[in-house]
Amino acid sequence: MIFIKNGTINTITNGIVEEDIIIENGKIVAIGKNLDVPSDAQVIDADGKFVFPGFIDAHTHLGLWEDGMGFEGADGNEETDPITPHLNPIDGINPMDNTFKEAVQGGITAVCTTPGSANVMGGQCIAIKTFGRRIDKMVIKNPVASKIAFGENPKSCYGRDEKMPQTRMAIASLLRENLKKAEEYLDEMDLYMEHEDHDKPEYDIRMESLLPVLKREVPFKVHAHRADDIFTAIRIAKEFDLKLTLDHCTEGHLIVEDLVEEGYPVIVGPSLTEKSKIELRNLTFDTAGILSNAGLDICLMTDHPVIPVQYLPLCAGIAVKHGMKKEKALEAITINPAKTLGIDDAVGSIEVGKDADIVIWDGCPLEIQSNVLHTIIDGKLVYNR
C-alpha cells in the first residue's frame, strides 16, 4: 500500500487538485483531502511536487529493436513475405532490454509495441507496461491493433529484390486481396458454426489473425506519412468497413479538413528526426498543434527507437512550442492514447479504480529541466531518483 500526500495532482480527466492518493493491490482506491494514512502504507510526501498519470506512447517498437545490438536484437520486421498479419510482438519483445529501464525513469509506464513497416501487413500490436521481467505479466491488452504499412518502406523492402510490391498500387492490391480472403474465411467459419453439416474451413493462421479487424474489435494501425497514402488507407477501410488509426500522419497538416471530416484517430510523430526519406519532406513539429487546434484528439509518439521512448514528454513540450495547447499535449500522451488503444478503463488518468500507474515530477513534465522523482507501476514503486 502506498499513500501519496500533499501533491498537486493533474488527473488529466478531472482537473488539477491538491489531494491525497491511496494505492492498494495495484489500484487507485481513494483520492481526496485529508485522507487517513493507513498504518501499513508507504508514505510519499509530494509537497511542492507534481503528480501525473504515467505517460503512454501509442506507437513504439520497444523491445523489438534492442539497444545497440544490430541484427541479433532486431526482431521487428520479418522481411521474407509482405503479408504477415499473424505475427505478434509478444514473441519478440525482450523486457530486459535497457530501454525499458529508461522508459520507467522517463515516466513512461505503458506503450503500444508494434511490428515494423517493412511489410504491407506486418502483424499484430500489443499494449504493455514498461516494468517487468516476463512479458506475459506486462500485457495490458493483446492485440490492440493490426499493423499495415503504405509507401516507401514496403516499396523499398521488396522492390529492390524485384518482388511485389514495387508500387503503391501493389500495396493497395495486396491489402484488398487478403482482406477479401479473410472475409471469405469468416463467412465459411460462420456457416460452419451455424450449420452442423457444413465443413469446417481449413485453419489459416493469417486469416484467423485478421478476424478481429473484420469484426471491428481492433483497428488497422496504419503506417502512412504522405497524404495520398492516408487517403488510400481510408478508401480501403471504407470498402471493408474497418476501424483505423492513422499513425505518423506526417502530411496531416496539409489535409486538416479531410481528417476532421473523417474522424479517424491520429497518432503524430516521430517529429524530432531528420528528413531521412522523401516521404518526410513536409515533416514539421507544427502538425500536432494544427490538427489538435482543429478539434482532433490526437496522440503523440516517439516511434522508439527512432526517438528514445523516454523523450515522449520532450516531444510534447516541443509540440506546445509549435502551437499545441499545453493541456492537449498532456492528453496526447495520457488519456488519448489510452482511448485510441482501447485501454482507458485501466490507464491514462488518475481515477479511483484505475491501475496505479503514477509518476511524481519536480516540475512540469513538458519542460526539459524537469525530473521524474518516483515512478509507480501497478501500485509498485519501481523507480526513485
Side-chain angles (χ1 to χ4, degrees), residues 5-41:
K5 66 177 184 178
N6 299 328
T8 299
I9 305 168
N10 191 325
T11 66
I12 298 298
T13 52
N14 294 303
I16 299 173
V17 296
E18 304 280 344
E19 296 181 349
D20 305 325
I21 301 173
I22 298 177
I23 296 167
E24 186 174 14
N25 296 325
K27 300 290 184 179
I28 300 169
V29 297
I31 303 171
K33 288 183 178 295
N34 303 315
L35 298 178
D36 292 333
V37 182
S39 59
D40 57 344

Side-chain angles (χ1 to χ4, degrees), residues 183-245:
E183 280 188 336
E184 293 174 351
Y185 183 83
L186 177 58
D187 289 342
E188 288 296 312
M189 188 64 71
D190 286 343
L191 286 172
Y192 166 72
M193 298 297 291
E194 294 169 5
H195 303 284
E196 292 182 0
D197 59 344
H198 192 86
D199 292 337
K200 184 177 182 179
E202 182 178 352
Y203 178 74
D204 187 327
I205 191 172
R206 285 175 169 80
M207 298 302 104
E208 283 283 339
S209 70
L210 290 172
L211 297 188
V213 178
L214 292 180
K215 294 177 181 179
R216 295 178 60 85
E217 296 170 355
V218 301
F220 267 144
K221 195 170 186 63
V222 177
H223 167 104
H225 289 283
R226 274 180 24 176
D228 56 338
D229 289 328
I230 294 169
F231 289 143
T232 299
I234 293 172
R235 186 181 313 119
I236 293 173
K238 289 183 173 181
E239 290 173 20
F240 290 90
D241 189 26
L242 308 177
K243 296 168 70 176
L244 295 180
T245 69

Side-chain angles (χ1 to χ4, degrees), residues 293-313:
N293 294 337
L296 291 172
D297 292 330
I298 72 157
C299 307
L300 294 169
M301 57 110 140
T302 62
D303 204 15
H304 176 96
V306 179
I307 302 170
V309 67
Q310 66 268 29
Y311 295 124
L312 179 64

Side-chain angles (χ1 to χ4, degrees), residues 106-218:
I108 317 303
T109 59
V111 302
C112 176
T113 288
T114 169
S117 50
N119 294 346
V120 177
M121 289 182 167
Q124 296 173 314
C125 309
I126 183 173
I128 59 173
K129 300 293 179 75
T130 55
F131 180 81
R133 291 193 303 265
R134 183 175 178 180
I135 190 61
D136 308 76
K137 296 181 178 181
M138 300 162 64
V139 175
I140 307 171
K141 183 180 177 182
N142 184 25
V144 292
S146 180
K147 178 71 175 290
I148 61 174
F150 291 82
E152 283 188 55
N153 286 15
K155 276 168 52 75
S156 63
C157 180
Y158 292 95
R160 67 193 178 204
D161 296 326
E162 298 187 357
K163 295 180 180 179
M164 189 175 184
Q166 293 188 16
T167 65
R168 283 179 164 82
M169 294 183 293
I171 291 170
S173 177
L174 284 170
L175 282 169
R176 289 189 175 97
E177 176 186 3
N178 284 277
L179 284 169
K180 186 61 179 176
K181 287 179 180 178
E183 280 188 336
E184 293 174 351
Y185 183 83
L186 177 58
D187 289 342
E188 288 296 312
M189 188 64 71
D190 286 343
L191 286 172
Y192 166 72
M193 298 297 291
E194 294 169 5
H195 303 284
E196 292 182 0
D197 59 344
H198 192 86
D199 292 337
K200 184 177 182 179
E202 182 178 352
Y203 178 74
D204 187 327
I205 191 172
R206 285 175 169 80
M207 298 302 104
E208 283 283 339
S209 70
L210 290 172
L211 297 188
V213 178
L214 292 180
K215 294 177 181 179
R216 295 178 60 85
E217 296 170 355
V218 301

